[in-house]
């Protein structure tokens, strides 16, 4: 059986979209209506993918996978001392990945210099209710508890693609640095008891960092870093592949939100 990595599939889907068409057809008869209709079904994509894999065991696909692997290897940069490797650079946003972990989850970080003042970027990030207007997939954000000037508990709900159930989490936000030209906020999944919405999967493991530094009077350097276990039965490979685009998507959304507020 040919073992297709998530990275190879992503590459083929992008540069050879017609190649995987037969996979979708094969997947149709693998979809058990009774299974997929169950709320919170997390393993249906794995069943569908296992069925689809058996269709693409041809010599042509094997050759293309070899080409894809070569292309992927060519894109891999040498990791720095902390284990961070540059995997994508697009539209002024650099995305790094760190795989030096024992749990199988990748840590991602995005870095950019954007045309926004330090105050604009910091204030949008700190605006809890406003997070729903720009954070990808966020549909609810509210303050749960004010612990101190530097620590808050925030409840957030995130939309998930079908058939995965939406997620919620209580995040502890820690303002580690908050000066006139440097802002650093850590957020960690907290086990605080909060009822939240019914029927969601609670994220219990996750952490990240927002950092904003003043570059000059009109620009700022902003970085976003995150690693987490989405909970439920979502495979690690699916999580790692789907979250790879989050840093770039999030930083771009932050800048768009700043521009929208500036226009009002």
């Amino acid at each position: 059986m040919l073992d297709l990595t998530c990275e190879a599939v992503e590459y083929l889907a992008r540069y050879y979209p017609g190649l995987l068409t037969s996979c979708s057809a094969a997947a149709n008869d693998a979809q058990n209506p009774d299974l997929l209709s169950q709320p919170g079904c997390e393993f249906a994509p794995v069943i569908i993918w296992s069925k689809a894999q058996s269709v693409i065991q041809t010599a042509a696909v094997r050759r293309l996978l070899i080409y894809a692997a070569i292309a992927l290897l060519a894109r891999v940069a040498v990791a720095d001392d902390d284990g961070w490797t540059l995997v994508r650079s697009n539209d002024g946003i650099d995305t790094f990945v760190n795989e030096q972990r024992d749990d199988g989850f990748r840590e991602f970080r995005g870095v950019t210099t954007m045309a926004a003042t330090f105050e604009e970027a910091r204030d949008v990030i700190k605006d809890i209710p406003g997070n729903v207007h720009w954070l990808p997939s966020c549909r609810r954000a509210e303050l749960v508890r004010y612990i101190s000037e530097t620590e808050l508990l925030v409840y957030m709900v995130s939309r998930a693609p079908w058939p995965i159930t939406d997620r919620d989490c209580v995040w502890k936000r820690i303002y580690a640095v908050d000066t006139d030209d440097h802002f650093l906020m850590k957020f960690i999944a907290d086990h605080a008891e909060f009822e939240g919405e019914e029927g969601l999967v609670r994220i219990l493991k996750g952490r990240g960092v927002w950092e904003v530094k003043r570059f000059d009077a009109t620009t700022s350097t902003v970085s976003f870093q995150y690693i987490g276990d989405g909970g439920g039965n979502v495979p690690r490979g699916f999580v790692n592949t789907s979250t790879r685009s989050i840093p770039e998507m999030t930083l771009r959304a932050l800048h768009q939100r700043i521009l929208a507020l500036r226009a009002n």
Side-chain angles (χ1 to χ4, degrees), residues 2 14 29 32 40 42 53 55 65 82 91 108 127 166 178 180 190 212 227 230 236 253 261:
L2 183 62
R14 178 177 300 176
D29 63 353
N32 184 328
E42 312 294 351
Q53 264 193 312
V55 180
L65 285 173
D82 296 327
D91 197 24
F108 296 90
D127 178 18
D166 287 357
D178 195 356
D180 292 337
D190 194 274
V212 183
I227 184 170
R236 288 183 176 88
L261 291 173

Side-chain angles (χ1 to χ4, degrees), residues 92-156:
I93 301 174
D94 291 335
T95 301
F96 300 84
V97 63
N98 193 331
E99 302 191 59
Q100 294 184 352
R101 296 183 57 82
D102 297 329
D103 56 11
F105 289 101
R106 295 173 179 170
E107 188 167 13
F108 296 90
R109 181 174 66 191
V111 182
T112 188
T113 298
M114 64 176 61
T117 67
F118 168 79
E119 290 79 11
E120 286 176 322
R122 177 200 59 194
D123 292 349
V124 169
I125 294 171
K126 293 179 69 174
D127 178 18
I128 296 171
N131 286 171
V132 299
H133 298 299
W134 63 276
L135 273 179
S137 303
C138 178
R139 65 174 176 82
R140 180 178 174 183
E142 63 182 68
L143 177 66
V144 172
R145 187 187 310 162
Y146 179 88
I147 302 175
S148 68
E149 292 185 355
T150 59
E151 289 191 21
L152 310 170
L153 288 184
V154 178
Y155 176 70
M156 304 186 77

Side-chain angles (χ1 to χ4, degrees), residues 40-211:
C41 173
E42 312 294 351
F43 45 87
V46 180
I47 297 175
I48 295 171
W49 176 243
S50 298
K51 179 67 176 179
Q53 264 193 312
S54 63
V55 180
I56 50 179
Q57 309 302 312
T58 66
V61 174
R62 290 175 183 273
R63 286 196 297 272
L64 284 173
L65 285 173
I66 294 174
Y67 299 151
I70 294 173
L72 287 167
L73 289 172
R75 293 167 54 196
V76 174
V78 178
D80 61 19
D81 294 338
D82 296 327
W84 291 101
T85 302
L86 177 66
V87 294
R88 179 177 171 83
S89 185
N90 182 51
D91 197 24
I93 301 174
D94 291 335
T95 301
F96 300 84
V97 63
N98 193 331
E99 302 191 59
Q100 294 184 352
R101 296 183 57 82
D102 297 329
D103 56 11
F105 289 101
R106 295 173 179 170
E107 188 167 13
F108 296 90
R109 181 174 66 191
V111 182
T112 188
T113 298
M114 64 176 61
T117 67
F118 168 79
E119 290 79 11
E120 286 176 322
R122 177 200 59 194
D123 292 349
V124 169
I125 294 171
K126 293 179 69 174
D127 178 18
I128 296 171
N131 286 171
V132 299
H133 298 299
W134 63 276
L135 273 179
S137 303
C138 178
R139 65 174 176 82
R140 180 178 174 183
E142 63 182 68
L143 177 66
V144 172
R145 187 187 310 162
Y146 179 88
I147 302 175
S148 68
E149 292 185 355
T150 59
E151 289 191 21
L152 310 170
L153 288 184
V154 178
Y155 176 70
M156 304 186 77
V157 177
S158 299
R159 292 182 296 272
W162 183 90
I164 301 174
T165 306
D166 287 357
R167 264 53 178 168
D168 71 348
C169 185
V170 177
W171 297 100
K172 176 180 283 188
R173 291 190 174 189
I174 303 172
Y175 300 146
V177 180
D178 195 356
T179 65
D180 292 337
D181 56 10
H182 186 196
F183 172 71
L184 189 148
M185 182 188 80
K186 301 178 181 179
F187 56 98
I188 305 169
D190 194 274
H191 292 187
E193 294 185 4
F194 184 76
E195 188 170 335
E197 297 183 16
E198 294 184 0
L200 304 183
V201 175
R202 179 64 55 92
I203 295 176
L204 299 175
K205 296 180 181 179
R207 59 178 172 80
V209 178
W210 274 105
E211 186 170 23

